[in-house]
Amino acid sequence: MKDKNEKREFRLSRRQFLKASAATAVLAGTAGATRYFIPKAGAENTSPLKEVKYVRTTCSPNCTLACGIRAMVVDGQIKALLPSNDYPEPEYGPRGCLRGLSFINLIYGPDRIKKPLIRTGERGAGEFREVSWEEALDYTAKRLKEIAAKYGPESIGFIFQVGGTGHVQKGAWIALATMAGWSLIHPYDQNGDLPMFWPQTFGVQTEELEPLEWLNSRYTAIFGSNIMVTRLIDADFLIKARNNGTKVVVFDPNYSPTAAKADEWVQLKPSSDAALALGMARVIIEEKLYDEAFIKTYSDMPLLVRLDNRRRLKADEVKGLARPDGLPPYREAFVAYNGKLLAVHPEKLELPPDVILEGEIEVELKDGRLVRVKPVFQLLKEHLASYTPAYVEQETGVPGDTVVRLAREMATTKPLHVIYGASNYQWYHGDLKGRALALLPVLTGNIGKPGAGISTYAGQYKIRFNVKEWWFPGSPRWLPWLYILHGPTPGMKARWPKNGIKALIFGWGNPFDQHNMADRLRQMAIKGELEFIAGLDFSLTTSCRYSDVVFPAATWYEKTELVTTPLHPYMQLQQPAIKPLYEARSELWMARELAKRLDPGFAKHFFPELDENTAAEKAVELLLATGGPPVAGITLEQLKKGPVRLKSEVPGNRQIPFYEQVQFKKPFPPVSRPAAIEATAQFVKSGRIEFYKDEDAFIALGETLPVHKPPFEDSEYALNPEIKGKYHFAYITRNSLYRVHSTHSNNLWMNELQDNKPKVFLNPQDAAAKGIKEGDLVEVYNDRGRVRGYAALDPGLGRKIVVFEQGWWSRYLDGDSYNSLTYPFIKPTHEVYFVPGIWAPNTAWNEALCDVRKAGEV
């Protein structure tokens, strides 16, 4: 990969683009835009003014921001994309960033797929012939029928991305997959965005405060989240909160843009957050800074644990106690003590105030045996005794007196909000870090209240209302992504297809760049393990180049769609600003046409008598009519006029996690859609926030309580002990300001802002030791793969860390993949249960060791 070659390729693409698209020329400058609308002075101007139309729609990449956009349309072309400012709460507007506003470069760019394609060359070569829709659909249906007949329909895997941004279009393909019996692959764990501490501790998929609630926090502790980059549009709420007196502390190995805006930056070693959190919890407990009434009422701290088998004591084991009648099978009655043994009802958050948290007692079981028991709180206190300030300093690098000071601040400054970022939990022991960090708001009673809680802002996967009637006309069959790359494991709970995955259909994503861990996916394609691959996209991505058939998809400015996100509290409508370019079609239309060919009965689900946009509006109406309380009273006509806030039980319909549990004493967990409560309530059988986990895997691994385990010991070194001492750098693939994952990788404006060069970020001292200077072409490598980029020396970067900004398409990396260095580790605690996208093996992107050298060195 030579710099001069990159620049030559860029200039060619730019000329092609400008030649092909007058729209970008118009958008590139004010003069270019205004000449269409301001008549020239003088008699020679006889051209009539052109009609300008503005269409209110929504920008919908996987960034959780869901910005309302006004598309300016002239003569059927989008001339400009402008931020909208029509939110009922003006604090949420205007919305829009340079990435979204420059999306016009992708709509009219040279990578736009114009017609259906069928592969003619080797996979990955990008050699295709253009075909008609009829030929592409017939060919696809024929291949899928052959594979289903030979291996079973479950051998066909369907990947979709960020369901919340595509209730209609993505839902159409999910519906087709359920009817056809294909394996659905959930994006949350695939993308590594599933924070496993949530189901383990609270029984939910994820929760988060909406940004307006940041203003109510008085202390915001941010662990490994770079809000100023990844939550760009809402970052001003954090700045306003700080300016209003909220203390903002950022915990990160690297000095990030968010750290630069904080009151305090606490630098710690990579993946050492659990040690820090447990050290602070020790201080909170020892100095009695915890909220005793809160933890007795809402957590498992008073529940008794048997010392003989390390399991929680059940009421039906104890002489004189019984399991209350009428409990659902996913609940269990455990035992507490206040001078007498109490059967704790799992659906009533009530215990006498004198129930004990500390001590040890002897209990007689129904079989006559005597066992010693202790409350969870007592076990936690004993467990935390080893997390002294000196030990925490050794493990994290944070001075011991700083640990004590921070613990006191967090315990006494309320409301406390802890933000736990995806970069921080995309490690093998990310679940342990989350469980430890959750102790801080729970111990101090900062749950279920304005401005308080713990939040993880990653992805747009959460489904905010019921989608069953549109998404699941059949019974869905789910398969976590990591098993496709790793193969089945002895502990897996998901159903492995008898013959494995033989075909892959993907849309709204770029798995051959974003998810080819250890290059496994490309190997499966090249070796023929995947016998058929189909892609749906508007740009010819790396993944499309590996496909056998490519369907040209409409962009989100060319179709009707219904959008919600976890972070943004408004439901919004995508309305087509222009007709689909070339022969692009909406995904609903594609699903409907393919359904006709697979089984004519399937097509009835997709409103076959209607055109694709009218059918999409019918799907929106169906979703609103059957979506339940969060969308009660919301209509399509309302959404056409502008955004509508989703409903909740919080005053003002605010988004405050566990408000109902804390204010109304409803048992944990709240529902995590689309799963039924029966599926997720089994995660916290006590009906409470649980820090003690007694399932076999937790006991076997010594993780019944949150514990600090250093990185790489149970992953890289267990996989290959010989690399200990061979690779000394942690390899971090962080999000870029210039892309939303791999969307905008081919955006000319965004690439110009990066000098058209992928960067490898290093601490200057580490670079000097390697003889690397600013701007050198360097290679990051390990035994699995490599990636190259240009050295950017950053004194704010932690030592022995290599950072590469993910999202670059392979063509910008000379054919390399930044994910070739990673590995699909599967942690046993992630396999205790399986509910898709809620409790499932999560990708550990950052659990990778590497080294770095100048390109060309051996």
Side-chain angles (χ1 to χ4, degrees), residues 262-284:
D263 294 289
E264 185 174 356
W265 170 47
V266 179
Q267 187 176 36
L268 70 170
K269 297 175 184 177
S271 202
S272 65
D273 307 75
L276 179 61
L278 294 171
M280 290 192 286
R282 178 181 182 272
V283 174
I284 291 169

Side-chain angles (χ1 to χ4, degrees), residues 321-546:
L321 294 184
R323 175 186 168 94
D325 293 335
L327 289 187
Y330 51 80
R331 295 295 192 194
E332 187 57 74
F334 298 107
V335 182
Y337 184 73
N338 71 333
K340 64 179 181 179
L341 295 168
L342 306 169
V344 180
H345 198 294
E347 300 203 324
K348 296 179 181 178
L349 296 179
E350 296 170 354
L351 279 176
D354 61 347
V355 70
I356 69 165
L357 291 175
E358 299 183 57
E360 177 180 334
I361 63 172
E362 190 172 64
V363 175
E364 183 178 358
L365 304 182
K366 287 181 177 176
D367 62 8
R369 286 184 297 151
L370 298 176
V371 295
R372 306 298 295 181
V373 297
K374 292 180 180 179
V376 169
F377 185 87
Q378 176 68 43
L379 293 175
L380 177 65
K381 185 176 181 179
E382 293 170 5
H383 170 62
L384 295 178
S386 61
Y387 287 87
T388 62
Y391 171 77
V392 174
E393 181 170 348
Q394 168 193 305
E395 293 299 300
T396 67
V398 179
D401 57 351
T402 300
V403 175
V404 174
R405 173 179 59 81
L406 292 169
R408 291 170 179 164
E409 288 179 2
M410 289 190 199
T412 57
T413 311
K414 297 184 178 184
L416 165 67
H417 183 208
V418 174
I419 297 176
Y420 182 33
S423 177
N424 203 355
Y425 57 74
Q426 290 169 342
W427 292 75
Y428 188 79
H429 291 306
D431 55 346
L432 288 174
K433 290 190 285 182
R435 291 171 65 196
L437 287 167
L439 278 167
L440 303 178
V442 173
L443 284 172
T444 56
N446 282 289
I447 296 289
K449 301 170 185 177
I454 180 169
S455 301
T456 47
Y457 300 107
Q460 306 193 63
Y461 313 98
K462 181 183 290 185
I463 302 303
R464 302 284 297 278
F465 56 95
N466 296 331
V467 295
K468 182 180 184 301
E469 296 300 319
W470 177 239
W471 283 28
F472 302 123
S475 297
R477 178 181 177 125
W478 297 89
L479 180 67
W481 174 251
L482 287 185
Y483 293 121
I484 296 175
L485 303 177
H486 185 287
T489 68
M492 70 182 292
K493 298 295 188 297
R495 292 183 293 170
W496 178 253
K498 181 175 64 174
N499 295 299
I501 293 294
K502 297 297 182 181
L504 202 60
I505 304 169
F506 66 87
W508 310 276
N510 187 10
F512 284 81
D513 271 323
Q514 286 293 102
H515 301 105
N516 58 321
M517 303 186 73
D519 280 329
R520 173 69 179 131
L521 192 57
R522 294 186 189 185
Q523 293 167 15
M524 291 173 70
I526 292 169
K527 293 177 181 178
E529 295 175 48
L530 290 171
E531 297 185 10
F532 180 71
I533 304 170
L536 293 60
D537 212 321
F538 55 82
S539 284
L540 194 66
T541 64
T542 304
S543 300
C544 289
R545 295 170 69 89
Y546 278 86

Side-chain angles (χ1 to χ4, degrees), residues 571-582:
M571 173 176 276
Q572 298 175 93
L573 192 67
Q574 279 180 13
Q575 302 184 83
I578 58 174
K579 293 180 179 179
L581 294 183
Y582 314 113

Side-chain angles (χ1 to χ4, degrees), residues 490-771:
M492 70 182 292
K493 298 295 188 297
R495 292 183 293 170
W496 178 253
K498 181 175 64 174
N499 295 299
I501 293 294
K502 297 297 182 181
L504 202 60
I505 304 169
F506 66 87
W508 310 276
N510 187 10
F512 284 81
D513 271 323
Q514 286 293 102
H515 301 105
N516 58 321
M517 303 186 73
D519 280 329
R520 173 69 179 131
L521 192 57
R522 294 186 189 185
Q523 293 167 15
M524 291 173 70
I526 292 169
K527 293 177 181 178
E529 295 175 48
L530 290 171
E531 297 185 10
F532 180 71
I533 304 170
L536 293 60
D537 212 321
F538 55 82
S539 284
L540 194 66
T541 64
T542 304
S543 300
C544 289
R545 295 170 69 89
Y546 278 86
S547 299
D548 301 303
V549 62
V550 180
F551 294 162
T555 69
W556 50 75
Y557 293 100
E558 300 166 333
K559 62 190 176 189
T560 299
E561 187 56 279
L562 186 64
V563 174
T564 65
T565 84
L567 179 65
H568 192 45
Y570 283 90
M571 173 176 276
Q572 298 175 93
L573 192 67
Q574 279 180 13
Q575 302 184 83
I578 58 174
K579 293 180 179 179
L581 294 183
Y582 314 113
E583 293 188 23
R585 303 303 294 259
S586 72
E587 293 88 353
L588 188 156
W589 182 90
M590 299 176 198
R592 186 167 69 185
E593 289 299 313
L594 187 58
K596 293 176 184 177
R597 289 160 170 81
L598 294 174
D599 183 331
F602 293 168
K604 297 175 183 177
H605 182 71
F606 302 102
F607 307 104
E609 72 282 0
L610 302 175
D611 69 83
E612 56 192 301
N613 276 313
T614 307
E617 290 190 354
K618 285 293 183 184
V620 171
E621 290 176 338
L622 175 65
L623 286 162
L624 293 175
T626 61
V631 297
I634 300 176
T635 67
L636 176 61
E637 291 308 311
Q638 282 181 297
L639 291 168
K640 285 183 176 181
K641 295 176 184 177
V644 180
R645 184 181 260 276
L646 289 155
K647 310 297 173 59
S648 78
E649 295 189 46
V650 184
N653 292 314
R654 285 291 182 94
Q655 211 172 292
I656 299 176
F658 311 118
Y659 184 89
E660 299 93 329
Q661 280 64 44
V662 172
Q663 301 301 323
F664 309 138
K665 293 191 175 179
K666 292 185 178 181
F668 287 82
V671 66
S672 290
R673 298 176 179 90
I677 192 65
E678 293 82 2
T680 55
Q682 64 178 326
F683 305 156
V684 286
K685 294 179 176 64
S686 67
R688 295 162 171 265
I689 303 167
E690 291 187 355
F691 288 101
Y692 192 89
K693 308 303 292 182
D694 62 0
E695 291 89 349
D696 291 344
F698 291 97
I699 293 174
L701 293 172
E703 298 179 9
T704 53
L705 287 166
V707 61
H708 165 63
K709 291 186 175 181
F712 312 122
E713 294 288 342
D714 299 322
S715 53
E716 290 279 40
Y717 303 149
L719 184 69
N720 181 8
E722 294 181 3
I723 69 167
K724 194 165 189 175
K726 181 178 180 181
Y727 298 116
H728 299 281
F729 286 80
Y731 176 62
I732 309 296
T733 49
R734 74 183 178 197
N735 288 329
S736 171
L737 177 64
Y738 306 103
R739 290 180 296 282
V740 180
H741 304 300
S742 78
T743 304
H744 298 291
S745 186
N746 59 332
N747 186 325
L748 303 179
W749 293 3
M750 297 297 100
N751 288 347
E752 282 185 316
L753 292 173
Q754 301 169 86
D755 302 319
N756 304 295
K757 294 178 178 179
K759 306 292 197 307
V760 172
F761 295 86
L762 293 165
N763 183 287
Q765 295 179 60
D766 291 330
K770 297 281 188 179

